[in-house]
Amino acid sequence: MKRIYIIGSSAGIVLAICSPAVAADMPLKAPVFKAVYSWTGFYLGGHVGYGGGSLGPGTNPLPLQGVFFPHSITGLIGGYQAGYNREFPNHVVLGIEADASFSSPTDAPALTPAPFNTALDYVGTMRGRVGYAFGRLMPYVTGGFAWGHSQFNLNDGAGKVMATLGQNQAGWTAGAGVEFAVSGNWSAKVEYDYIDLSRRMLDLSGFGLPDIGLDPNIHLVKLGLNYRFGDTPPWTAPVSANGQTALPESDDWNVHAQTTFLAQGYPAFRSPYAGTNSLPGGGQAQQTWTTTAFLGVRLWQGGEFYFDPELAQGFGFNGALGLAGFPNGEAQKAGAAFPKFRPQRYYLRQTFGLGGEQEDVADAANQLPGKRDIDRITVIVGRFAVGDFFDGNSYAKDPRADFMNWAMWSSAAYDFPADLPGYTRGAVVELNRKDWAVRAGLFEVPSAPNSDVLTFKTGGAVVEFEERHTIFDQPGKLRLGAFANSGNTGNYREALAIEAADPTLDINTVMASIRRENLKYGFYLNAEQQLMKDVGLFARASWNDGQNEILSFTDIDRSISGGLSVKGSYWGRPSDTIGVGGAINGLSSAHRDFLAAGGLGLLIGDGQLNYRTERILETYYACAIDKNFTFTADYQLIANPAYNADRGPVSIFSGRLHGEF
């Protein structure tokens, strides 16, 4: 699908109209007219920021992630805004704006044991704005109504949430800010808001606790970007009233965005027994929703910085448990009922050209337009997903656009380092030539299996060689990767031996007690080949040693997958895609014995195991609705779910709506 993008620069527009001279000896100077920037019109945008404050005495608020800042009752925030301004001849600007800001996930290391906790899920406001326009600069004050949603969590002795109560609260807000027209139709703003929500009493008598009063008082600092549509509503307006941007544009920065809503369900299947991490046999329906902004800026020659804030909401089946080849690539292990904000990517990329032939670089998400040397060295440092730079494939890589199953869009036995949403921090170096490339990376790993905390104490490494070729004038690629992770994990055979010596012990407790620095290593092979125009094949094979616990990804030690992708140009719909593929996943003998003894993996654990390979068939049809949106219908058949021949098979039906801007 074609990506729509808007970029701009900070230069002003100067229009000069020159009149011809009426006589050779009497030249006339033409009047010069300057276009005056106008703040009048509708706008949409997004913001990120940081907040703090109080939920009231004795409320035990959850510490939410601040990343670069201290944890607080909101942590980092992210959200949306929309509004309308009217600038008057005296340069006074009156406007109205509505916004919503969402909080961050819990900062687990900062959490202290308590019988209960409270949290703020989101706040929204509807505000008036009064500003004064100094050309492209507009300071303003703002105030109006506010509302939010708070929650109460009752904890057991181990800190696990037993019950949750939620409530809406209303109040007021006031603040001030300054907005500056940057380039094109874009403006940037810095804003401070104070939000006071009304005090609400929570009746906790049913839990044997005294009542508490939730009284949120919140301070928010926001950095935002707005896109202006002119003086007609954005749902009816072109880019601007006269078809032109308000200011000149630039290729030194860009903004892209995506949103993906994915709904899945499956009917009841054969399930004679189930364990802690089993897929429920009675059937289930779940959905996930993500919205991501992709911001890039050119810092200097060859230097680029990228920042991708994201809001994610929803859950995979059973909280992303029950299948090794999980069917939803958008499902995060850190699922949430309300959108949660994370700055998923922030990294610096430096490209050193080696001279010679150049290639065009298209404008895209996390890619600034321009030219670059084909022969080059690239260095990336920061936070990103390992899959951003390794294990790529043209036909099976993006669960927002093609195959959804984890074993289809990745080399599934590669336990790539990642936190719960799938990202890490580290560095990548790549040497690129016309027909080949070699790249290597070093990354932080989780502090323990399925941990959201990344650590420098141990690490992960990967090296990948990529070869490019043509067969009968059809392009193809072959990638070979080798990886190793050193992490805080337990050894399957050691845990089994201890449990065998004392059968009264719980094997999962044993495994947690023997975790120490252990190594996991393996390799992957990844191939893609175009057969003819708009028709391509892909295949992957991956393996790891399977002796120690999986740290980050999923419970797979051996995997092969492959399939076919066909574009709709053959039936008159060139933007549509049909795909069909399959995967077979397996475990090492030590790993399967651990599960058979009642062990729990990252995603699976039925309490016992009649081992067979997990087998997956997936097919989808992606239908382009328009230049921005695509709807995908997807079907997956999974035999021997979680490697258990006693359960399944499972039929999973999915619908995915994806938009790119």
Side-chain angles (χ1 to χ4, degrees):
M1 183 176 85
K2 221 183 214 181
R3 297 198 177 191
I4 302 302
Y5 66 93
I6 300 134
I7 56 177
S9 80
S10 58
I13 299 176
V14 178
L15 297 176
I17 302 176
C18 296
S19 300
V22 297
D25 58 344
M26 295 181 62
L28 295 178
K29 201 169 183 181
V32 176
F33 298 93
K34 286 189 176 180
V36 177
Y37 186 84
S38 174
W39 289 93
T40 294
F42 292 89
Y43 60 88
L44 294 172
H47 62 268
V48 299
Y50 176 71
S54 171
L55 296 183
T59 54
N60 297 331
L62 287 172
L64 303 186
Q65 294 177 10
V67 185
F68 304 110
F69 303 98
H71 61 77
S72 69
I73 65 166
T74 65
L76 292 182
I77 60 165
Y80 319 98
Q81 68 266 355
Y84 177 80
N85 289 326
R86 170 66 68 180
E87 182 177 349
F88 294 92
N90 61 359
H91 304 302
V92 171
V93 180
L94 299 182
I96 186 169
E97 181 175 287
D99 69 0
S101 301
F102 301 92
S103 58
S104 291
T106 303
D107 188 350
L111 185 62
T112 56
F116 67 88
N117 292 106
T118 59
L120 188 68
D121 294 313
Y122 71 86
V123 290
T125 69
M126 175 69 76
R127 295 173 283 110
R129 300 205 308 172
V130 180
Y132 188 85
F134 296 92
R136 291 161 56 192
L137 181 71
M138 183 185 68
Y140 61 89
V141 293
T142 182
F145 301 103
W147 62 91
H149 187 275
S150 57
Q151 64 170 276
F152 166 88
N153 295 331
L154 180 69
N155 305 323
D156 63 14
K160 185 177 180 180
V161 177
M162 299 170 55
T164 297
L165 298 176
Q167 63 179 5
N168 296 308
Q169 294 175 254
W172 60 271
T173 180
V178 60
E179 192 162 359
F180 179 73
V182 181
S183 61
N185 289 351
W186 291 97
S187 64
K189 72 173 184 176
V190 179
E191 182 177 296
Y192 164 79
D193 292 310
Y194 173 75
I195 298 173
D196 189 331
L197 301 181
S198 60
R199 188 170 186 263
R200 291 281 301 273
M201 295 300 297
L202 277 177
D203 180 5
L204 305 181
S205 58
F207 301 118
L209 295 171
D211 295 349
I212 63 169
L214 274 174
D215 187 15
N217 294 274
I218 307 151
H219 303 270
L220 300 179
V221 177
K222 306 172 186 174
L223 302 176
L225 277 175
N226 289 324
Y227 184 79
R228 303 187 173 277
F229 293 89
D231 203 16
T232 49
W235 53 89
T236 63
V239 171
S240 64
N242 60 3
Q244 302 295 321
T245 56
L247 295 171
E249 298 182 340
S250 165
D251 60 2
D252 285 335
W253 69 289
N254 66 0
V255 180
H256 290 257
Q258 76 82 32
T259 185
T260 303
F261 179 82
L262 202 161
Q264 292 190 313
Y266 66 88
F269 64 91
R270 180 171 60 97
S271 177
Y273 55 85
T276 303
N277 288 3
S278 292
L279 191 70
Q284 196 174 99
Q286 291 287 0
Q287 56 279 324
T288 57
W289 179 35
T290 62
T291 300
T292 317
F294 306 91
L295 290 82
V297 60
R298 202 182 315 276
L299 302 175
W300 52 72
Q301 181 65 37
E304 301 161 355
F305 179 75
Y306 295 95
F307 176 54
D308 297 357
E310 182 171 272
L311 290 169
Q313 177 184 12
F315 302 91
F317 295 135
N318 198 30
L321 296 172
L323 295 161
F326 202 76
N328 182 355
E330 283 282 86
Q332 300 180 1
K333 298 172 186 176
F338 290 91
K340 287 295 180 181
F341 172 76
R342 288 183 187 246
Q344 300 292 35
R345 296 180 182 88
Y346 43 85
Y347 62 87
L348 176 69
R349 179 163 62 205
Q350 178 66 51
T351 301
F352 301 95
L354 302 179
E357 187 179 354
Q358 291 192 319
E359 63 183 3
D360 292 323
V361 180
D363 182 272
N366 294 330
Q367 184 171 284
L368 290 167
K371 288 183 175 292
R372 66 186 176 192
D373 293 351
I374 292 177
D375 293 344
R376 62 185 181 272
I377 295 174
T378 305
V379 180
I380 300 107
V381 179
R383 175 179 166 86
F384 44 76
V386 174
D388 292 342
F389 308 109
F390 295 88
D391 193 30
N393 195 288
S394 299
Y395 306 111
K397 183 58 180 175
D398 186 356
R400 294 168 176 169
D402 48 63
F403 292 93
M404 301 180 187
N405 193 283
W406 292 18
M408 297 295 293
W409 53 259
S410 69
S411 293
Y414 177 21
D415 184 26
F416 55 82
D419 58 12
L420 293 183
Y423 297 83
T424 186
R425 293 183 290 265
V428 176
V429 179
E430 177 189 74
L431 171 63
N432 188 81
R433 299 289 190 180
K434 187 170 185 177
D435 295 325
W436 58 271
V438 61
R439 54 189 69 98
L442 293 173
F443 318 107
E444 288 184 304
V445 300
S447 58
N450 252 357
S451 170
D452 203 28
V453 179
L454 299 170
T455 177
F456 283 108
K457 292 181 180 179
T458 56
V462 61
V463 177
E464 179 181 277
F465 175 76
E466 177 182 316
E467 178 268 343
R468 308 171 188 125
H469 59 264
T470 58
I471 299 176
F472 299 114
D473 296 324
Q474 301 298 323
K477 294 180 181 179
L478 184 66
R479 299 174 178 91
L480 176 63
F483 56 87
N485 297 330
S486 181
N488 180 32
T489 58
N491 181 274
Y492 297 125
R493 289 298 180 202
E494 185 178 347
L496 287 164
I498 294 172
E499 199 268 343
D502 185 356
T504 63
L505 297 174
D506 177 76
I507 196 166
N508 294 297
T509 303
V510 170
M511 181 63 88
S513 71
I514 63 172
R515 285 175 181 158
R516 60 182 183 276
E517 187 174 336
N518 280 312
L519 182 69
K520 181 178 289 292
Y521 62 89
F523 67 86
Y524 61 84
L525 184 66
N526 176 337
E528 61 179 81
Q529 181 62 53
Q530 182 172 297
L531 302 180
M532 61 184 72
K533 183 179 181 297
D534 291 339
V535 179
L537 282 173
F538 71 93
R540 285 185 173 97
S542 55
W543 175 93
N544 70 59
D545 63 289
Q547 300 306 302
N548 303 306
E549 288 179 287
I550 300 287
L551 260 177
S552 306
F553 190 40
T554 187
D555 304 271
I556 297 175
D557 299 322
R558 297 94 173 84
S559 181
I560 57 172
S561 64
L564 179 73
S565 176
V566 181
K567 300 293 287 185
S569 56
Y570 292 95
W571 54 93
R573 293 188 57 85
S575 296
D576 291 5
T577 306
I578 188 169
V580 59
I584 301 175
N585 303 323
L587 297 175
S588 68
S589 59
H591 197 167
R592 69 183 73 158
D593 290 347
F594 172 73
L595 293 172
L600 299 177
L602 293 194
L603 271 68
I604 63 175
D606 293 333
Q608 54 185 295
L609 184 65
N610 179 12
Y611 178 78
R612 296 290 188 279
T613 56
E614 184 180 73
R615 303 188 177 196
I616 300 165
L617 169 69
E618 180 176 3
T619 184
Y620 73 88
Y621 187 92
C623 173
I625 299 172
D626 58 23
K627 60 185 180 181
N628 295 111
F629 286 95
T630 301
F631 177 78
T632 302
D634 182 280
Y635 171 72
Q636 299 176 52
L637 176 65
I638 303 180
N640 309 320
Y643 309 101
N644 199 337
D646 292 341
R647 307 180 80 242
V650 184
S651 288
I652 298 172
F653 302 88
S654 308
R656 176 181 63 199
L657 181 65
H658 173 67
E660 294 184 358
F661 311 93

